Amino acid sequence: MPTWLVIIIVIAAVLVVGAAAWFVIQGQRRRRLQETFGPEYERAVKEHENPREAERDLTSRMKRHSDLDIRPLPSSTKDRYAQEWALIQEQFVDRPSGAVVEADRVLVSLMAERGYPTEGYDQQLADLSVRHANALRHYRAGHDTLERHRETEMSTEDMREAMKHYREVFEDLLTDDGGEGAKSHGKQASGNRGNGTADSGKRRGDDGPARRGTDR
């Protein structure tokens, strides 16, 4: 066999192996992103209309998140926030819209306490998506209701639903210990949390009675 033919065969084999390795690496990378971001992965693909652009964006979020100092909360701080949330829910009976505004404020305060930057809503979503992907649909729903209320007064039932959505995000942030368990958020099925109210009284007994203002 001529030397030049051997060289061509070797080069072709190297290219085939390299291409196969590239596809394997890309597949592993995609699976890792899907596991990390869960429903946010598909949302990013739809927004970018290109999987590669979406994956670059998600990878960038992970890099930014790795540079953040995300901290677990001590028990005393968790108790303080739980009590504050219970008071907000008690206020809902007399001041539904005011309670939702306060819920939004406390949620942003909790993000900051955990170490998340809070310079803007869109950036909050991007930062939270790395560890709290399944909670983002609740954050969006609550925030959207609040924004619409600022333009046109929403009904008490709308405010009640917003409070339920905000509570889901609140509990997710409050109970995340910052350890390995948090990495599984993206893997959980988005339906696991139901409509934002199922079993929440069982999850936290410290403010169960206060929830009657929003869950009736």
Side-chain angles (χ1 to χ4, degrees), residues 98-147:
V100 174
V101 171
E102 280 298 291
D104 184 84
R105 179 192 64 78
V106 169
L107 192 57
V108 173
S109 175
L110 178 56
M111 291 179 201
E113 191 96 41
R114 292 296 313 277
Y116 287 100
T118 57
E119 63 263 29
Y121 173 66
D122 289 338
Q123 188 61 59
Q124 290 171 15
L125 291 176
D127 290 337
L128 289 174
S129 68
V130 179
R131 297 177 78 100
H132 303 277
N134 284 323
L136 290 192
R137 66 186 180 92
H138 295 292
Y139 191 25
R140 289 189 180 97
H143 186 269
D144 288 350
T145 298
L146 181 58
E147 289 299 303

Side-chain angles (χ1 to χ4, degrees), residues 2-62:
T3 302
W4 61 268
L5 183 55
V6 173
I7 294 174
I8 290 177
I9 292 174
V10 170
I11 292 175
V14 170
L15 291 176
V16 169
V17 171
W22 184 86
F23 279 111
V24 170
I25 292 172
Q26 291 300 307
Q28 292 174 340
R29 177 171 174 264
R30 179 163 298 177
R31 284 193 296 273
R32 184 169 62 252
L33 290 172
Q34 289 172 334
E35 290 175 354
T36 297
F37 290 95
E40 287 299 304
Y41 178 89
E42 296 301 330
R43 186 183 184 92
V45 171
K46 290 180 180 179
E47 289 179 349
H48 289 278
E49 299 182 350
N50 184 315
R52 289 187 181 180
E53 290 183 10
E55 290 172 3
R56 279 196 291 268
D57 175 36
L58 296 176
T59 300
S60 176
R61 295 188 202 181
M62 292 179 68

Side-chain angles (χ1 to χ4, degrees), residues 50-190:
N50 184 315
R52 289 187 181 180
E53 290 183 10
E55 290 172 3
R56 279 196 291 268
D57 175 36
L58 296 176
T59 300
S60 176
R61 295 188 202 181
M62 292 179 68
K63 173 62 172 65
R64 172 183 164 91
H65 189 278
S66 67
D67 293 333
L68 300 178
D69 181 21
I70 306 301
R71 305 175 293 273
L73 297 178
S75 297
S76 59
T77 303
K78 288 184 178 181
D79 291 342
R80 173 167 57 83
Y81 272 101
Q83 292 169 8
E84 191 170 359
W85 190 266
L87 290 175
I88 291 173
Q89 292 186 136
E90 288 177 353
Q91 295 169 7
F92 182 88
V93 176
D94 298 319
R95 298 174 55 249
S97 60
V100 174
V101 171
E102 280 298 291
D104 184 84
R105 179 192 64 78
V106 169
L107 192 57
V108 173
S109 175
L110 178 56
M111 291 179 201
E113 191 96 41
R114 292 296 313 277
Y116 287 100
T118 57
E119 63 263 29
Y121 173 66
D122 289 338
Q123 188 61 59
Q124 290 171 15
L125 291 176
D127 290 337
L128 289 174
S129 68
V130 179
R131 297 177 78 100
H132 303 277
N134 284 323
L136 290 192
R137 66 186 180 92
H138 295 292
Y139 191 25
R140 289 189 180 97
H143 186 269
D144 288 350
T145 298
L146 181 58
E147 289 299 303
R148 284 187 285 126
H149 179 73
R150 287 167 175 164
E151 299 177 359
T152 304
E153 186 173 355
M154 306 293 287
S155 69
T156 299
E157 186 58 32
D158 289 328
M159 295 291 101
R160 193 189 316 278
E161 289 301 313
M163 281 293 295
K164 291 177 182 178
H165 286 302
Y166 273 135
R167 182 183 175 87
E168 287 295 311
V169 189
F170 175 81
E171 289 189 345
D172 201 37
L173 280 167
L174 192 69
T175 59
D176 172 23
D177 62 3
E180 291 297 318
K183 295 180 181 179
S184 65
H185 280 290
K187 299 181 184 179
Q188 299 170 355
S190 60

